[in-house]
Each structure stands twice: as structure tokens, then as C-alpha cells.
Amino acid sequence: MDKKQIKAMLKKRILILDGATGTELQKRGMPGGVCPEAWCAQHHQVLQEVQRAYREAGADIIYTCTFGANRLKLGEYGLTDVRDVNERMARLARRAAGPGALIAGDIGPTGRFIEPFGDLPFEEAVAVFKEQVAGLLAGGVDLFVIETMMDIQEARAALLAVKESCAHFTIVTMTYDTSGRTLNGTDPVTALITLQSLGADAVGGNCSAGPEDMQGWIAAMKPYATVPLAAKPNAGLPRLANGITHFDMGAAEFASWGIPFHGAGVNLLGGCCGTTPEHIAAIRAAMAGLSPEPPRRRSLAAVSSARTHLLLEGKQPLFVIGERLNPTGKKQLQQELREGKMSLVRRVAREQEDQGADLLDVNVGVPGIDEPPAMREVIRAVTAAAALPLVIDSPKVATIEAALRLYPGRALINSISGEREKVEKLLPLAAKYGAMFILLPLADGEIPATAAGRAAIVQEVYRAARRFGYTKEDIVVDGLVMTVAANPEAPVEALKTVAWASRTFRCRTVLGVSNVSFGLPERKWLNAAFLVLAQGVGLSMAIVNPAGPELQAVMKAADVLMSRDRQAARYIAAFSGAGSGSEGASPPPPGKETTPAERVYQAILEGNRDDIVALIEAALASVAAGELVNRQMIPAIMRVGEHYEKQTYFLPQLMASAEAMKRGLARLEPLLAASADRPAGKGRIILATVQGDIHDIGKNIVALMLRNHGYEVIDLGKDVAAAEILAAMKKHRPQVVGLSALMTTTMTAMPDVIGAARREGLAVPFILGGAVVTAAYAESFGAAYARDSVDAVRVIGGLLMGDEKKRLQTD
């Protein structure tokens, strides 16, 4: 069935997705520790029984049993024929479901972090998913579902793999924790903006949450969705009974959420972990006769990063595009870009974010530099350092393509002009990646002298853009201001262009404000006055240095006077409390000169992996290694943990800081070994991902954080049998054992390990974690629980402190 037919179905009714596969296969005899795809190939009658039951329960769409059928996961089980596994599973699903059902090729995560957040190259990830897509296409799937994604970049890689292989309808569902964010800090609306702009035909959530949380996420997305929304919640929370994982929510209670989901605007609804054919039959009955609510808009003026988004609509305050990541006229930045260094790039990105920028302009135009790889390095550095959406600034098509390919969000391109090459090459490229763009009103290298001439180019480029699906919501018109020193009429014509674009053409507008004053003294006053005039005629965005106090002051004042700052909230926040250094006020006075040791602290806090070793070398001239660790490095990594728990930092920053700490400790280790003030070891910890589970991202992060906090960590790896864990406990005598599981089908191995340890008299405390594990589940068999790596450090510290208290009481 082609994409148009599926879209037509969605206009008529809410489509019902199937339910859980793994828990149903376990009920029917699939043991733990096996590759589900391989087991199902050998026991295809069991798999088809499950799929047939979901179809008979009323599911319109049946997922193939290929969640882990990618090269990286299959390789853990010694399987190499990716195409054959996927093709076979697709054909089995088709035969089981029978006529009338839609078969969705199921694509799950690889179990690796993808650049710019991890070590798996983006293009390799795309290639991995393309192998899976090819097999599923050979098996005759009708559509694709990319599900349980915890990393927006991995979701992008999988979506591009499908888009570059076929034109099939594609659903993408992310997995959010109880705070409403993915592991990498992406919220549902941000994910929606990124994925629908990249070409997903439906977006939503699955797993990790029950109906209550998930219907709230659907409701949050609906006002901004240009595509249908999908939901597959769990049947409540897992609990262990008689060695079997159960979910508390029965079919009737699950179906009672059908009306709230309909009210939230869901278009595709099914079930994830713990749901059964009975759950699907009940939700099908609950949704019968309910008319679907289509997407409320055709397009959306919004940009996004991996961790946040910016809506560019309505009567909002002027948006600031930070201009400082442009090397023009900046010798130090030029030199670092030539050398491939990113320290200054990260610092400037963070500074502009702190100074109140809403977006960051990124340019790598240095003579003699190879721009595409340089741009990719800058994207990696900036996305880890700052949360703001990016403006990709280059006159070169190859540079823009390199940025759009890697950037984990919806970018704004600066810019597309009326020049033939830009229209012919950049417009289709922008459309492929779903980027917004700044429309620069010049053609064939000439800048029209009048606003009327510029308006004609804007309309011509817009007509060409419409052929690629663009609307005025996706475009920002540049007023194109030149210096008043060369042409006294230049600012006037720029203002006329802004007025026409905002009031007549009805589009957002932007100006590079500082261009107006080039070649004149005291430029800040000309810039500030021009900015106010531009705001008065409808300017939406300004490319400026956000640290400029004059610009910040007049901008915020003008927003109040033009009723673009409701109740003067931003103005009051900036200027109440004299000398507070609040947002937009003059920059705080420079602090005292930092010492070399303090710069080490700052490097870890900022995740400066590149310079940490050099900074430590400088600090060692005046500070002993042990003192540097105890007074600077450990306090810094603890502060990082505090930021993470408050959600002012997310996983990319946590990982960068942890890696900086790791590199620093590696440099100091020889000195610490010979030093009398070596930090005392805090204890020995064994970590393992339980048998049958090949996911170890979370466990690896926990190991890194524990080592950075002074613990000795013995990491047994993934898919570790209970006997191996017990043998390691007897050999190494740990103070704590940590177990991890990502899947409901493997979490039952946790109590098996703990039970075996207790039977052998090993009274070591256990701590459990993983996406499917809850505090209640861990407590049900006497284990501690940690929700993430930072929490694990805290909980283990508490466990060891408790043991120490017991020892002192005994003594």
C-alpha cells in the first residue's frame, strides 16, 4: 500500500497499532538470553500466533519482529545476514496477518550513541539502517516504524535511511522518561519539529510510560504537528511476581484512556510493553466511531536543536541571532579553526547563550580551510556546548549540506538568494533536510538598490521554493542593509524591505544590524538606533553580538513599547535589581584572574576534553596532583552531576565532562600512584548488563562516572550470565554490585542473579537500573535503584555510608 492510501485511511479513522511482542513471546516459551529474531525464525508458528492474535483483536498495523535486526545487534549473536533476517520476518508477518492488514517494518535502536553525541559515525549509522530497510523492502512491508528511540540523532539516521531508500510511509516514535525528555534531553515538541521537518509521516512516543504521561505528550505536540501523531504506551508499570514480570494495567483500564488520547489528538494508537491482544481489542472498541483530528497546520515556523526549540510565530519579542561564531575579522577564531581546535568555539557558544541569544550563527569561512569537515567539527562542538538552535551560514552549497546532514535538529540556513546556483542546488537540499532558510534578495551578484527590486527577487525565489513544498512559514526575508557610510539611502531601503516583507508579504524578517555602521566611529549608537527603527517596521530577528549592552537595552525597551513583551516581563527581568547582571543588562564586571588549578575545574565543568591535559600540565607547576584531584576535579564533576539532576545539563554535557575528567585522571594517574596524598579509593563496584541483554550504553556511563568519583569499577560487560557474576563477586569481593537491563524480556534475570547470590551467602548490596526498571521493581526483591548515572553515584555512596555506620556500631 502506498503512502497516499495510508494518509487517506488516517483522514477517515484512528488506526490501531498492535501491542507488545516480547512479553507475549515470553509467555509462549521464548527464554531469556536469546536473539528474538533468531528464536522467532526457528519458532515462527509462535510468532505468527502472536501477530495473528493482534490482527484478530483489531490491529490495523502489525509490526515485524525486527526491532533488533540491525547489523550491530545481530552481530552480538553471531548473525551476519541482515537482509535475510529482515526479509524473512517481514514475510512471516504478512502471512500471519492476512489480507487487509498493513505490515510495518520495525526498526529499533542500535544500542550505540551516534555522533555528535557518541562514537558511532553518523554515516555508518545510516548505512546500518539502510541494510535493514533493504531486507524489509524485499519482504514486502507496507510502511516503516522507527521506534523506542532515545537519541534524536539516531532517529534522524534511521529516518534518512528510509527516505533515501524508498517513499514508504514512515512513523517515528521516541521514548521519554518521566520528566518528558529523552536520554539526550529532547522533549516531545522539539522531537516533533525535527522529525516532521525531516520527512517523518507520523511522529509520537512509545514505551517507558503508561497512558497518562503519553497522552500528555501527544497533547503537547498536537498544536504544532503538521503530521499525524502516534502513541504506544505501556500497560502501566512492571512488577515481579513468581519470577515473571507483570504489568498492572488491565485491558479495561488501558482502554479507558482511549477518550483522553482522542482528545489529545492521537491518530495512531496501540500498546507497548505489557499490552496483550485483549488490550488492543479493548482500545479498538473504545476508539470505534471516533473521528480523527487531522493535523492543525500545514507548516510551522520553528527551528530546533537536540534539546530545545524556538517557535518563530505570533507577536513575540525580537529574536537575537548571535553573530560571534563567524571568523570574519576574528584572528584567534580563524587560527583555531585552521588548527582544528574547538575550545574557543565552545566557549563563545556558551557565552552567547548566557548573554541571551536565541539562535547561534555558525560560519567557518576561513581562507584555505576545507569547509565541510570544519563545519562538521563545529557542529559537534556547539551542539554539545549549547542548547540553542543553529543558523548555518555559508555561501558554499557543500558546506551547508555537510552541516544539515549532521545537525541534530531543524536548522535555519543563511542564506538562499536569487542566484541560479542557489535556487537550483540549495532549495532541493534545504527541502530534503526540512530546514528553514533566510531569503537573501540579491541575484547574479547584484544587490537591488531599492526595496521594490528586492521584493521582486523575494517573490521569484518564493515561487521556486513553493515547488519544494515551502510556505511563507518556512522563510525569513533578509532586509539586506549596507553601510550608511557608502550610501545614505541604504538603511532606508533596508527598512522599506523589512516593512514590505512583514506587512505585505506576511513573512518573518531578519537584518545583520552591524553592517549599517561599517566604517564609522562609535558604531554601537548607529546600530542601536537602526535596530529600534527596524523593530518599528516589523523586524523579527536580528543578527548581533548579544553581549552589546546598548543593543540589548534598546531592543528590550522597544519590545515593551510595541507590546511584544507581555507585562514587560523580559524588560523587568533584565533591569530590575540594579547591577544584578540579569539577562540583557550590561555584562557582569570581569572577575579576578583565575589560577591554573581553577581553569582545570572550569574545563571539567564545561566538558573541555581537548584542553584538559594541557591545563593540568600548567596547574602541576604550582599544585600537587592529589590536591588538584581533590580540590578541583572531583568538586567539578560533582557540580556537573548537580546540573544534570536539575536538568540544566543533559547527557551530552554530562558525557563531555566525564570524558574530560577521564582524560585528566589518566594524565595524573602515574603521579598519584607515587604520591602520598593519593585520593583514597571509595570502594570496589561490579557492573554488568544481565544475560540476554546486549544494551550497555547506560551501564558504561555509570562505570565512567563511578571511576571519575574514585571508585574501582570491574565492568563485566553485557549479556553476562548469573554464574559469571557470582564468580566475579567471589573473586573480587565488591562492596556493591550493579545490574542493568533495557528490555522487559531481560529484566527478569535481575532477581535470578540476586537470588543466586543470597543462596550462596553473598550479602553484597545490589543496585539496579535501566530504561524498564523502576524503584518499586528493585525494592520488590531487596535491591536499590538508580534512575541514571548521577543518581547511581549518589545511591552507591549512601549504600557504602550505611555499611560504614554498621561497622562502627559493631566496633
Side-chain angles (χ1 to χ4, degrees):
M1 186 176 289
D2 66 24
K3 184 181 295 190
K4 288 183 180 179
Q5 291 173 299
I6 296 174
K7 288 183 175 181
M9 292 174 65
L10 283 164
K11 290 179 181 179
K12 296 177 181 178
R13 61 186 177 87
I14 295 170
L15 295 186
I16 303 301
L17 307 170
D18 66 9
T21 298
T23 48
E24 288 300 292
L25 290 173
Q26 278 189 321
K27 290 179 186 178
R28 291 164 171 81
M30 185 180 77
V34 301
C35 172
E37 291 83 5
W39 189 88
C40 286
Q42 294 174 349
H43 303 83
H44 59 86
Q45 299 93 339
V46 179
L47 171 64
Q48 289 179 302
E49 177 186 329
V50 173
Q51 293 171 328
R52 192 175 300 113
Y54 280 127
R55 177 57 180 156
E56 292 171 353
D60 298 298
I61 299 176
I62 303 298
Y63 288 20
T64 59
C65 183
T66 53
F67 178 79
N70 61 68
R71 181 205 315 163
L72 300 179
K73 283 191 174 179
L74 292 177
E76 297 286 344
Y77 299 100
L79 301 175
T80 57
D81 197 338
V82 174
R83 181 187 176 98
D84 179 68
V85 170
N86 283 276
E87 182 177 353
R88 185 183 308 180
M89 291 296 108
R91 295 191 186 282
L92 287 174
R94 174 70 69 195
R95 288 199 293 269
L102 296 174
I103 305 303
D106 190 8
I107 297 173
T110 62
R112 298 269 299 276
F113 279 130
I114 297 174
E115 66 168 330
F117 308 123
D119 62 349
L120 181 62
F122 185 75
E123 293 305 329
E124 183 178 343
V126 174
V128 164
F129 288 123
K130 280 185 175 180
E131 293 171 353
Q132 191 174 2
V133 170
L136 291 167
L137 287 172
V141 298
D142 298 293
L143 69 155
F144 286 90
V145 59
I146 298 163
E147 66 164 336
T148 323
M149 288 290 169
M150 296 177 283
D151 176 3
I152 191 67
Q153 189 70 327
E154 186 165 30
R156 289 184 70 253
L159 181 56
L160 283 170
V162 175
K163 285 184 60 182
E164 292 175 353
S165 301
C166 64
H168 281 40
F169 190 95
T170 305
I171 306 167
V172 186
T173 54
M174 306 294 293
T175 290
Y176 304 99
D177 62 23
T178 53
S179 71
R181 289 185 179 270
T182 68
L183 191 61
N184 274 357
T186 309
D187 65 88
V189 175
T190 296
L192 170 76
I193 291 168
T194 298
L195 295 169
Q196 69 184 11
S197 66
L198 191 59
D201 298 295
V203 175
N206 80 288
C207 204
S208 78
E212 182 175 6
D213 286 336
M214 197 164 291
Q215 66 88 24
W217 301 333
I218 295 295
M221 287 188 275
K222 193 66 178 184
Y224 310 106
T226 63
V227 297
L229 299 180
K232 256 197 163 193
N234 290 343
L237 298 174
R239 63 181 176 83
L240 192 72
N242 300 320
I244 300 174
T245 302
H246 296 273
F247 286 79
D248 292 327
M249 188 174 290
E253 185 182 357
F254 188 79
S256 72
W257 286 96
I259 298 300
F261 266 111
H262 176 259
V266 79
N267 303 99
L268 303 101
L269 182 60
C272 205
C273 299
T275 57
T276 67
E278 289 74 26
H279 288 78
I280 298 307
I283 202 71
R284 176 66 184 245
M287 307 308 284
L290 296 178
S291 299
E293 182 182 356
R296 297 174 186 173
R297 54 172 80 223
R298 181 182 163 215
S299 58
L300 178 68
V303 289
S304 62
S305 67
R307 305 197 297 280
T308 192
H309 62 273
L310 187 66
L311 299 171
L312 308 174
E313 58 182 12
K315 198 172 184 180
Q316 299 190 56
L318 185 74
F319 293 117
V320 171
I321 301 174
E323 67 178 5
R324 292 176 55 205
L325 284 174
N326 186 324
T328 303
K330 303 180 181 71
K331 292 183 178 179
Q332 185 180 357
L333 181 56
Q334 290 177 10
Q335 185 61 32
E336 293 214 357
L337 288 174
R338 287 193 184 96
E339 296 174 359
K341 295 181 178 178
M342 292 295 125
S343 300
L344 182 58
V345 167
R346 283 192 293 267
R347 179 168 61 81
V348 171
R350 281 190 297 267
E351 286 175 353
Q352 292 186 102
E353 184 173 33
D354 293 341
Q355 291 158 354
D358 300 293
L359 303 95
L360 298 178
D361 187 84
V362 176
N363 184 298
V364 294
V366 177
I369 199 172
D370 188 356
E371 284 195 19
M375 179 62 84
R376 284 191 288 268
E377 287 302 314
V378 170
I379 294 290
R380 292 186 187 99
V382 174
T383 51
L388 299 182
L390 298 188
V391 180
I392 308 302
D393 184 359
S394 177
K396 297 181 179 180
V397 174
T399 303
I400 292 176
E401 182 171 19
L404 295 179
R405 184 79 172 174
L406 184 62
Y407 180 59
R410 188 189 194 197
L412 176 64
I413 297 173
N414 186 10
S415 55
I416 299 179
S417 66
E419 296 168 295
R420 179 183 294 269
E421 181 188 26
K422 298 298 178 64
V423 171
E424 292 180 351
K425 294 183 178 180
L426 265 183
L427 273 179
L429 185 67
K432 174 180 177 178
Y433 293 100
M436 291 185 65
F437 69 88
I438 293 173
L439 198 165
L440 191 66
L442 62 82
D444 300 321
E446 293 186 7
I447 301 174
T450 66
R454 297 174 189 180
I457 295 175
V458 169
Q459 291 170 315
E460 181 180 351
V461 174
Y462 176 60
R463 282 192 293 270
R466 287 183 64 183
R467 295 196 291 270
F468 294 94
Y470 275 102
T471 72
K472 292 180 182 179
E473 295 291 301
D474 304 307
I475 295 170
V476 181
V477 172
D478 193 329
L480 198 54
V481 64
M482 309 302 291
T483 177
V484 68
N487 179 5
E489 297 300 316
V492 174
E493 294 303 320
L495 293 172
K496 288 180 181 179
T497 305
V498 170
W500 169 82
S502 62
R503 297 170 181 173
T504 303
F505 191 64
R506 310 293 292 178
C507 192
R508 271 145 293 280
T509 54
V510 67
L511 283 169
V513 172
S514 61
N515 290 345
V516 74
S517 62
F518 186 78
L520 293 172
E522 290 296 318
R523 297 178 61 188
K524 59 187 178 182
W525 302 116
L526 287 167
N527 294 344
F530 181 64
L531 180 61
V532 172
L533 292 172
Q535 285 179 268
V537 296
L539 186 68
S540 309
M541 314 167 80
I543 303 174
V544 298
N545 180 352
E550 298 82 12
L551 287 176
Q552 287 281 4
V554 298
M555 177 182 69
K556 286 181 169 58
D559 281 339
V560 173
L561 298 175
M562 294 174 63
S563 190
R564 292 170 67 168
D565 181 3
R566 297 288 181 88
Q567 285 81 47
R570 283 164 57 102
Y571 182 86
I572 291 170
F575 298 113
S576 62
S580 64
S582 299
E583 175 191 344
S586 57
K592 65 180 181 66
E593 181 70 22
T594 56
T595 66
E598 289 168 339
R599 287 194 281 275
V600 170
Y601 175 98
Q602 197 66 26
I604 292 172
L605 190 65
E606 295 175 355
N608 186 351
R609 295 167 286 191
D610 297 335
D611 297 332
I612 185 67
V613 173
L615 291 170
I616 284 175
E617 296 288 355
L620 287 173
S622 57
V623 180
E627 182 180 353
L628 192 60
V629 171
N630 288 321
R631 299 190 63 179
Q632 302 295 339
M633 297 172 70
I634 289 178
I637 201 68
M638 292 179 70
R639 182 68 181 274
V640 169
E642 292 171 5
H643 282 312
Y644 183 76
E645 288 195 314
K646 293 176 182 176
Q647 291 199 327
T648 53
Y649 272 21
F650 292 97
L651 191 61
Q653 296 105 309
L654 178 70
M655 290 296 293
S657 292
E659 183 62 28
M661 181 78 171
K662 178 182 177 182
R663 293 184 186 184
L665 288 175
R667 167 62 186 91
L668 293 173
E669 182 59 33
L671 300 176
L672 294 171
S675 172
D677 62 350
R678 176 190 178 95
K682 291 185 176 180
R684 182 179 298 125
I685 316 296
I686 286 179
L687 296 179
T689 300
V690 295
Q691 187 170 24
D693 204 315
I694 57 173
H695 303 88
D696 63 353
I697 288 177
K699 184 260 299 172
N700 291 344
I701 298 171
V702 170
L704 180 60
M705 291 297 290
L706 287 171
R707 289 186 176 113
N708 284 344
H709 279 79
Y711 293 96
E712 178 188 351
V713 177
I714 298 165
D715 188 346
L716 302 181
K718 54 193 174 184
D719 190 17
V720 185
E724 186 178 346
I725 296 172
L726 264 60
M729 291 172 67
K730 294 174 183 177
K731 177 181 178 181
H732 298 289
R733 298 294 176 183
Q735 278 70 52
V736 178
V737 176
L739 303 178
S740 173
L742 184 72
M743 303 182 296
T744 54
T745 54
T746 58
M747 63 193 293
T748 54
M750 291 175 158
D752 292 343
V753 173
I754 295 173
R758 299 297 179 250
R759 287 192 294 274
E760 299 216 12
L762 300 171
V764 179
F766 282 82
I767 181 172
L768 311 183
V772 294
V773 180
T774 65
Y777 185 82
E779 290 168 4
S780 68
F781 38 87
Y785 166 76
R787 63 181 179 272
D788 53 45
S789 59
V790 173
D791 196 33
V793 173
R794 181 185 62 79
V795 172
I796 287 173
L799 290 172
L800 296 186
M801 182 64 70
D803 283 349
E804 178 65 14
K805 286 181 179 179
K806 289 179 183 177
R807 186 188 65 77
L808 291 173
Q809 290 169 358
T810 302
D811 292 346

